[in-house]
Amino acid sequence: MDILFRKFRDAHITGSGPLLATTITPVSPAENPNQLQAFYHGSSFFSIASDIRSGILAHSNTDVRFLKPEGNAWADLYVAFWKAIGELLDVESSTSNAGWVKVYELWKEVANVLIRGYSSAGFQAWTVPCLYVAGQYLRIFAIKADEGVRGSGQDVGFGTAGFQDDVVGDFGKNERLEDAARMINRMFTLCISDRAPIQESRKWGLYYTTNLLFKTYFKLNKTGLSKNIILALQAAQTDMPPMDAFPKSHIVTFKYYVGIISFLDDNYIKAEEYLTDALNLCHKDSHRNKELILTYLIPCHLLTTHTLPSPSLLRPYPRLLKLFTPLSTCIRRGDLSGFDAALAAGEDEMVKRRIYLTLERGRDIALRNLLRKVFLAGGFEEGKDGEIIRRTRVPLEEFVAAVRLGSRGEANRVESDEVECLLANMIYK
C-alpha cells in the first residue's frame, strides 16, 4: 500500500493527473507485476477503511492539505477501489467468467464515488485523468460481464449477489454495457457542465469521455445516440478550449468516429473531411489506427472523387490489400462480373465493417469505365470539314455487346432495353 500512498502524495504535490490515475488503474504496471496483489493483501475487509484514511489523510498532512469533504471522498474512492481489486483478482485466478458481473458492480461503485467527488467534494480539474481510467475500465468490465452472462446461458440482474474493434456492433444482450453507457454519460455531463475558468475546468476531459461514449454506442449498435453528443459539443463550443489545444490522441479518435457517423449517414463529403483529418493527425507508428481509418476513407474517396487506392497505399495493410485490390482491379477494367464476384467474396467482412452498401455503388464506376472503353474503341471518323475527330455516335448494339461481355454467362445476360436504361442513368449521373 505504501507505493500507492507515495504516488498519491507525489501526484498531489506536482499536480500530475496521469500519475494520480495510475493509483486507481486495475492493472499492475510492467515494472511491478504484483502491485495489485500487494495492495489488496496489505489490508483486510475489517481494517481497510482505517488503513486508507491513515495512509492518505494522515501521511498527506505533511505535504498536502485537504478540506474534510475532499479528504473523505478520496478515502472512500480507494476503499471502493480495494474492494473491486479483490474481486478482480479472484476472477482472474478462476476459470469461470461468472464473476465479471460482480467485478463490474464493484467498479461501478468506484465510478460513482469518483463522480460524487467531482460534483460535491471539490476534486480539482487536474485530476480528470482519473475519470478516464474509471470510464475506460467500466466499459471493459461491462463487456466482460455481458460476455460471461451470455456464456453461462443465464442472465444475472443488477443488484444480485452476483483503438477490440469498437465500430463492429454486438447484437446480443448488453445489459451491463447499456448501464455503463449511462454512467459514462454522467461523466460527460460532469465535464460539459463545468462553469469554472478554462484553466481549471473539467472541460479538458470532454473529448475523451465523448470518445468513450462513441465506442460504447457503436458496440451497442446505437449510433444514433452519438448524434446527441455531437450536438451537445457543438452547442458548447464557445465555452470550450480550441480543439487543437486538446491532446492529439483525443482529437484523432473523435474525428474518426464523427467521420464514421457521417459515413453511415451517407454524408460522404463530411466523412471524407473528418477521416482525412484523423489520418493526417494519426501517429506515424499507429499502424492499426491508420488501417481502421482507411477502411472507411477509401470507400469515401471512391464515391466522392472516383479515385481508387494505389497498391503502395494498401501494401502495408494486408487486410485492406485483400479486401480492396480485387474490387479496384475490376473497377479499372470495367469487369462487372468480376466486381460482383469480388463483392460477394468479401461480403462478410464488408457487412461487418458496414461498408458493403457503399462499395456496392462502385459498380456504377465499373460500368462507366466499361462504357468509356466502348467509346474509345469506336476510333475516329471524318468530320464535316474533313478533319479527323473521335466518333461521337455509338450504336446501342455495341454497348449491349460490351455489357454482356462484362457480365458473362447466360444467367447474367442483359437485354438491350436494360442497357438503354443503364445508359440513361449514367448520363443523368
Side-chain angles (χ1 to χ4, degrees):
M1 282 194 166
D2 288 340
I3 295 176
L4 182 143
F5 297 149
R6 185 165 59 251
K7 287 183 177 180
F8 180 83
R9 289 196 301 273
D10 291 345
H12 276 83
I13 291 171
T14 59
S16 173
L19 177 60
L20 184 63
T22 63
T23 64
I24 61 165
T25 300
V27 177
S28 295
E31 66 273 11
N32 188 4
N34 296 318
Q35 179 174 302
L36 290 182
Q37 289 88 337
F39 170 69
Y40 180 71
H41 294 298
S43 186
S44 68
F45 186 85
F46 301 101
S47 63
I48 182 61
S50 59
D51 289 345
I52 291 292
R53 291 180 187 279
S54 174
I56 287 181
L57 301 182
H59 289 184
S60 296
N61 281 341
T62 57
D63 305 311
V64 182
R65 300 283 182 176
F66 292 114
L67 295 176
K68 187 175 181 180
E70 183 181 2
N72 290 337
W74 283 117
D76 291 343
L77 174 64
Y78 286 102
V79 170
F81 177 68
W82 182 86
K83 294 178 181 178
I85 292 303
E87 190 66 30
L88 177 62
L89 293 175
D90 286 344
V91 171
E92 290 180 340
S93 62
S94 171
T95 57
S96 171
N97 289 328
W100 285 110
V101 174
K102 184 65 174 177
V103 172
Y104 170 74
E105 292 294 340
L106 290 173
W107 192 260
K108 179 183 173 182
E109 180 58 24
V110 172
N112 272 322
V113 173
L114 189 60
I115 290 173
R116 286 198 298 269
Y118 285 105
S119 59
S120 59
F123 284 5
Q124 298 179 51
W126 64 265
T127 66
V128 159
C130 292
L131 269 183
Y132 303 167
V133 172
Q136 176 187 355
Y137 285 97
L138 184 73
R139 178 179 170 276
I140 292 173
F141 294 152
I143 293 172
K144 289 182 177 291
D146 287 331
E147 289 175 349
V149 169
R150 287 194 294 271
S152 66
Q154 53 181 305
D155 201 353
V156 182
F158 289 116
T160 64
F163 65 167
Q164 84 202 357
D165 204 334
D166 301 303
V167 175
V168 180
D170 190 342
F171 302 98
K173 292 183 178 179
N174 293 290
E175 187 178 354
R176 280 97 202 151
L177 191 58
E178 289 178 356
D179 185 60
R182 290 189 286 271
M183 287 292 297
I184 298 171
N185 206 325
R186 288 178 59 193
M187 296 178 184
F188 173 81
T189 303
L190 192 69
C191 293
I192 201 170
S193 61
D194 191 9
R195 294 293 178 261
I198 290 298
Q199 294 80 0
E200 304 169 2
S201 175
R202 292 189 296 269
K203 284 189 169 71
W204 291 102
L206 268 176
Y207 283 113
Y208 191 96
T209 52
T210 297
N211 295 336
L212 274 179
L213 280 173
F214 285 164
K215 292 178 182 180
T216 307
Y217 289 150
F218 271 86
K219 187 72 174 176
L220 291 169
N221 199 38
K222 295 182 177 179
T223 55
L225 296 177
S226 301
K227 298 175 186 177
N228 298 332
I229 304 301
I230 295 173
L231 290 175
L233 284 174
Q234 290 174 346
Q237 282 297 316
T238 55
D239 298 323
M240 287 174 56
M243 182 175 284
D244 56 8
F246 286 84
K248 190 175 292 186
S249 60
H250 298 190
I251 301 307
V252 170
T253 306
F254 175 76
K255 286 182 176 289
Y256 167 69
Y257 277 103
V258 174
I260 295 179
I261 292 166
S262 301
F263 179 91
L264 297 177
D265 283 343
D266 294 339
N267 189 348
Y268 298 112
I269 295 177
K270 182 179 178 181
E272 184 179 18
E273 175 188 347
Y274 275 92
L275 291 171
T276 301
D277 288 346
L279 184 65
N280 292 335
L281 292 171
C282 195
H283 192 277
K284 62 183 179 64
D285 296 328
S286 297
H287 186 86
R288 174 61 175 162
N289 291 345
K290 287 184 176 181
E291 182 180 52
L292 289 173
I293 294 169
L294 287 171
T295 301
Y296 300 92
L297 185 55
I298 288 172
C300 281
H301 273 303
L302 179 62
L303 294 189
T304 57
T305 64
H306 292 181
T307 54
L308 296 168
S310 64
S312 60
L313 175 66
L314 296 177
R315 197 171 295 118
Y317 313 101
R319 186 181 65 82
L320 298 185
L321 189 68
K322 179 181 177 182
L323 194 64
F324 291 118
T325 297
L327 289 173
S328 299
T329 302
C330 294
I331 289 174
R332 286 191 179 97
R333 292 176 179 172
D335 183 355
L336 300 181
S337 63
F339 179 88
D340 294 338
L343 201 64
E347 181 176 356
D348 291 342
E349 180 71 9
M350 293 172 189
V351 170
K352 181 182 177 183
R353 303 287 168 185
R354 310 185 193 202
I355 60 176
Y356 179 84
L357 294 177
T358 304
L359 289 174
E360 193 177 34
R361 300 184 187 182
R363 197 177 195 277
D364 287 343
I365 304 175
L367 176 62
R368 182 203 66 177
N369 289 343
L370 177 63
L371 299 179
R372 182 172 181 272
K373 287 185 177 183
V374 174
F375 171 71
L376 295 176
F380 298 86
E381 62 183 4
E382 186 175 338
K384 292 181 179 180
D385 299 328
E387 74 274 16
I388 302 300
I389 61 173
R390 187 172 291 280
R391 187 178 61 160
T392 56
R393 295 183 180 182
V394 182
L396 178 62
E397 290 75 15
E398 294 184 15
F399 288 117
V400 173
V403 172
R404 286 176 179 173
L405 285 173
S407 300
R408 296 179 198 164
E410 288 296 325
N412 297 321
R413 184 180 176 85
V414 294
E415 301 298 329
S416 59
D417 289 346
E418 185 178 350
V419 175
E420 190 172 356
C421 183
L422 290 173
L423 283 168
N425 284 332
M426 294 302 293
I427 293 170
Y428 172 77
K429 292 178 180 181

